[in-house]
Amino acid sequence: MKLASLKQGRDGKLVVVSNDLAWYADAGHIVATLQAALDDWDRLLPDLQNLATDLEHEMIPMRRFHEHDAAAPLPRAYQWADGSAYVNHVALVRQARGAEMPETFWHDPLMYQGGSDGFLGPRDAIPLADDSWGCDLEAEVVVVTGDVPMGASREEALAAVRLVGLTNDVSLRNLIPGELAKGFGFFQSKPASAFSPVFVTPESLGDWWRDGKLHRRLMVDLNGQPFGRAEAGVDMTFDFGTLIAHAAKTRKLGAGTIIGSGTVSNRDSDGGPGKSIAAGGVGYSCLAEVRTVETITGGAAVTPFLKAGDTVRIWAEDDKRHPIFGVIEQVVAAE
Amino acid sequence: MKLASLKQGRDGKLVVVSNDLAWYADAGHIVATLQAALDDWDRLLPDLQNLATDLEHEMIPMRRFHEHDAAAPLPRAYQWADGSAYVNHVALVRQARGAEMPETFWHDPLMYQGGSDGFLGPRDAIPLADDSWGCDLEAEVVVVTGDVPMGASREEALAAVRLVGLTNDVSLRNLIPGELAKGFGFFQSKPASAFSPVFVTPESLGDWWRDGKLHRRLMVDLNGQPFGRAEAGVDMTFDFGTLIAHAAKTRKLGAGTIIGSGTVSNRDSDGGPGKSIAAGGVGYSCLAEVRTVETITGGAAVTPFLKAGDTVRIWAEDDKRHPIFGVIEQVVAAE
């Protein structure tokens, strides 16, 4: 089952979307918003699934689904916690600045508390007030959880995964060093993230969802050129069950919590830093990583950060090359 | 006007509470929840204010207000961002561990993104799974904002303050060094915070709310003994307008954003670290601070962190010694 929120008010209007993303059916007679559905998931799920089945069979009134009419599936959320599960990415960034990465990073997940009071829709522009902030994309996989009790095991945490989707976790790289030096984590350096047009139940993903990971390539284009084709199921040191359990260690998590994988990143086949797609590699899921590789291999970063007018495209494909979650496609806009 | 949310479902039931906190009137015919009221504040405020006036004049059906029936005014929120505006507190903590505090800390606010998917009510127990985590209270002032545009000035930010209240920002001190060393800020070290039974409109606070600060003493008792009596309006280096503008520098803030002051802390009158109430000082608003002072003056921390059975009481008083926001009173409970 695929769910989306059409733009309407602060929380959108919940719709069920056909598998091919061509059609939608209004879910308003069942529940008004995705958050309300997550709040009462077990009771509402059968009705939503029946609606999805009827939609696939074209047995009910249906309308064309246009991704540009979609808000983020949760236009605002009560929690957005982003991990950094592709430790390869972290190791590279450390290597580039000559810093040792603690060995514990391979066992103890990194996670930060993100802002969740307002997200960007999949076609919304990225508002950027100042080019010098160093605007970057970060292509990631996300899951949405139901209620998770404090101290949940990895298995309990995995069982609480309700939906899977993608995000562009916009980052302002040049604000990060100053913020991290203050010791309190990210704040100004993490403006609103954008999410894929639809989120999908894990059951609908079949074999692509296993071991708490999404086993599909994460496609990233930058200004119309292929930029990243990393496998989301590869080199993910911490699966989503482990990430959710980490988040729930000292407190329960409320339904509708969004947990992110962190920037997807694959090691190069020769073990070195990843190559660009032009050079035969799988490319990158953020500009910071290519700049890091440039620093390691050439002494200095060459690729610039995003500026007004740049476009970012993020998606994942099924075996027929159709987008599974729809497409995040954003232009950077001077504010 | 004073607003509370009686425990009901995930978001509580909005009620208007009398100035003396003795009575309430159901606001359900106007709007169901406080978040919904904040989402449409300008339209709903006159009706809520009329209800409050009618309640004061005993012109409508009213019921006894019991603080133990209250959830946090926002039982869950889309954003909880906590500043550290009493820089004196930060300077003391640094001094205790022999670390220099950067001079910029006096000009650039510290702020962290907190978890907001579920808060504790004012009488809810503090669930603690492990004593060794070093559970601490932090008594703070909070404000709730309406929508704040990206790049808002301090004055615009102050105009967006809708409500004022108190929090106990529960912290797990012994988890903090490890988390901060990882560089991504707090996560496991900041479990659910508790909030005062009522939040109050700034207008109703009269002269106690001015210059973006609450000019009342923050009362803290620990196990029935006076522990803190610091003046919230004194030594607050960054007022709430400055804190909100800091939060909104690179992104807009959604209605219902809660901004915290950080632990309230006053310098001692002789300029040294603050004295306990028994020693004639104003005491402390968290255990970390008294432990810091003990370390500076005696070489080692003596006061233990919270353990199961300990009780914490946080409130502020009007001139007749009646609580303004009601009382946060929590017992620590082993989970």
Side-chain angles (χ1 to χ4, degrees):
Chain A
M1 181 171 63
K2 300 188 175 187
L3 298 173
S5 296
L6 299 186
K7 291 190 173 191
Q8 181 182 291
R10 292 181 184 266
D11 293 298
K13 179 173 86 158
L14 182 65
V15 299
V16 172
V17 182
S18 62
N19 272 325
D20 62 4
L21 303 182
W23 302 95
Y24 77 85
D26 198 326
H29 59 292
I30 301 169
V31 60
T33 67
L34 180 54
Q35 180 63 52
L38 291 158
D39 285 347
D40 202 6
W41 189 253
D42 290 341
R43 190 173 69 81
L44 299 171
L45 183 61
D47 288 343
L48 290 170
Q49 282 174 326
N50 286 340
L51 185 64
T53 303
D54 289 349
L55 177 65
E56 285 310 318
H57 295 163
E58 303 184 10
M59 288 169 62
I60 47 169
M62 54 197 218
R63 289 168 169 246
R64 273 287 180 188
F65 179 65
H66 299 294
E67 298 189 5
H68 59 74
D69 293 337
L74 288 168
R76 53 182 179 172
Y78 294 107
Q79 180 154 242
W80 159 229
D82 198 11
S84 202
Y86 299 83
V87 179
N88 179 53
H89 166 77
V90 182
L92 273 179
V93 173
R94 294 265 174 156
Q95 188 186 340
R97 62 171 202 246
E100 199 76 10
M101 188 181 78
E103 201 273 339
T104 55
F105 277 32
W106 292 103
H107 312 293
D108 181 30
L110 279 175
M111 183 173 281
Y112 74 88
Q113 191 85 52
S116 58
D117 58 316
F119 295 128
L120 301 177
R123 294 295 190 280
D124 290 350
I126 300 170
L128 181 61
D130 189 334
D131 273 359
S132 75
W133 289 345
C135 187
D136 198 356
L137 65 125
E138 289 192 19
E140 310 187 6
V141 180
V142 298
V143 300
V144 181
T145 76
D147 291 305
V148 180
M150 178 164 82
S153 67
R154 171 181 171 271
E155 288 67 31
E156 290 170 318
L158 264 188
V161 172
R162 300 280 174 266
L163 298 165
V164 181
L166 305 179
T167 190
N168 177 16
D169 180 46
V170 180
S171 296
L172 302 173
R173 296 289 181 190
N174 293 339
L175 302 185
I176 290 180
E179 286 208 305
L180 295 198
K182 288 160 74 178
F184 272 27
F186 308 98
F187 199 98
Q188 294 176 338
S189 51
K190 291 284 186 180
S193 299
F195 290 88
S196 51
V198 303
F199 284 175
V200 181
T201 52
E203 296 76 22
S204 307
L205 292 167
D207 194 43
W208 302 335
W209 176 256
R210 61 179 194 275
D211 310 324
K213 303 176 185 180
L214 177 71
H215 292 269
R216 299 307 290 170
R217 283 201 299 172
L218 192 57
M219 321 286 286
V220 184
D221 282 3
L222 186 60
N223 294 325
Q225 297 300 311
F227 179 73
R229 296 292 184 266
E231 287 286 348
V234 172
D235 292 331
M236 190 184 188
T237 306
F238 305 108
D239 75 295
F240 277 106
T242 304
L243 292 176
I244 296 166
H246 178 85
K249 185 182 172 189
T250 61
R251 67 191 205 213
K252 62 184 178 178
L253 309 180
T257 288
I258 308 174
I259 302 279
S261 67
T263 304
V264 174
S265 174
N266 291 165
R267 272 184 213 91
D268 199 61
S269 50
D270 66 5
K275 293 190 191 71
S276 70
I277 291 172
V282 299
Y284 316 97
S285 303
C286 68
L287 292 165
E289 190 160 313
V290 63
R291 289 169 55 89
T292 293
V293 171
E294 289 165 351
T295 302
I296 293 170
T297 58
V302 177
T303 304
F305 287 121
L306 298 174
K307 57 189 183 310
D310 284 342
T311 61
V312 174
R313 205 176 141 87
I314 297 170
W315 75 106
E317 295 179 348
D318 65 18
D319 295 335
K320 294 176 181 161
R321 305 202 54 188
H322 293 147
I324 300 169
F325 307 98
V327 177
I328 298 172
E329 188 170 330
Q330 302 184 273
V331 62
V332 178
E335 278 283 303
Chain B
M1 180 171 63
K2 300 189 177 188
L3 298 174
S5 295
L6 299 187
K7 289 188 175 193
Q8 180 181 294
R10 292 180 184 267
D11 294 298
K13 180 174 85 159
L14 182 66
V15 300
V16 173
V17 182
S18 62
N19 272 327
D20 62 5
L21 303 182
W23 301 95
Y24 78 84
D26 198 326
H29 60 292
I30 300 170
V31 61
T33 67
L34 179 53
Q35 180 63 52
L38 290 159
D39 286 347
D40 202 6
W41 188 254
D42 289 340
R43 191 173 68 83
L44 298 171
L45 183 60
D47 288 343
L48 290 170
Q49 282 175 326
N50 286 341
L51 185 64
T53 303
D54 289 349
L55 178 65
E56 285 312 316
H57 295 164
E58 303 183 11
M59 287 168 62
I60 48 169
M62 53 197 219
R63 290 167 166 246
R64 272 288 180 189
F65 180 64
H66 299 294
E67 297 188 6
H68 59 75
D69 294 336
L74 287 168
R76 53 182 178 172
Y78 294 107
Q79 179 154 243
W80 160 227
D82 197 11
S84 202
Y86 299 83
V87 179
N88 179 51
H89 166 77
V90 182
L92 274 178
V93 172
R94 295 265 175 155
Q95 187 185 342
R97 63 171 203 249
E100 199 75 9
M101 188 180 78
E103 202 272 339
T104 54
F105 278 32
W106 293 103
H107 311 292
D108 181 31
L110 278 175
M111 182 172 283
Y112 74 88
Q113 192 85 52
S116 58
D117 59 315
F119 295 127
L120 301 176
R123 294 294 192 279
D124 290 349
I126 299 170
L128 182 61
D130 189 335
D131 274 0
S132 76
W133 289 344
C135 187
D136 199 356
L137 67 124
E138 289 192 17
E140 311 187 4
V141 180
V142 298
V143 299
V144 181
T145 75
D147 291 304
V148 180
M150 178 164 83
S153 67
R154 171 182 171 270
E155 289 67 32
E156 290 169 319
L158 263 187
V161 172
R162 300 281 175 264
L163 298 164
V164 181
L166 305 179
T167 190
N168 177 15
D169 179 46
V170 180
S171 296
L172 301 173
R173 295 290 180 189
N174 293 339
L175 301 186
I176 290 179
E179 285 206 307
L180 295 198
K182 288 161 73 180
F184 273 26
F186 308 98
F187 199 99
Q188 295 177 336
S189 51
K190 291 284 185 179
S193 300
F195 290 87
S196 52
V198 304
F199 284 175
V200 181
T201 51
E203 296 74 22
S204 307
L205 292 168
D207 194 44
W208 302 336
W209 176 256
R210 60 179 194 276
D211 310 323
K213 303 176 185 181
L214 178 70
H215 293 268
R216 300 308 289 171
R217 282 201 300 170
L218 192 57
M219 320 286 287
V220 184
D221 282 4
L222 186 59
N223 294 325
Q225 298 300 312
F227 179 73
R229 298 291 185 266
E231 288 285 350
V234 172
D235 291 331
M236 189 184 189
T237 306
F238 305 107
D239 76 297
F240 276 106
T242 304
L243 292 176
I244 296 165
H246 178 85
K249 185 183 172 188
T250 62
R251 66 192 206 213
K252 61 183 179 179
L253 309 179
T257 289
I258 308 174
I259 302 280
S261 67
T263 304
V264 174
S265 174
N266 292 164
R267 272 185 213 92
D268 199 62
S269 50
D270 66 5
K275 293 191 190 73
S276 69
I277 291 171
V282 298
Y284 315 98
S285 303
C286 68
L287 292 165
E289 189 159 314
V290 63
R291 289 169 56 88
T292 292
V293 171
E294 289 165 352
T295 302
I296 293 171
T297 58
V302 176
T303 305
F305 286 120
L306 298 174
K307 56 188 183 311
D310 283 343
T311 61
V312 174
R313 205 175 140 86
I314 297 170
W315 75 106
E317 295 178 348
D318 65 17
D319 294 335
K320 293 173 180 162
R321 305 202 54 187
H322 293 148
I324 301 169
F325 307 98
V327 177
I328 298 172
E329 187 169 329
Q330 303 184 273
V331 62
V332 179
E335 277 284 301

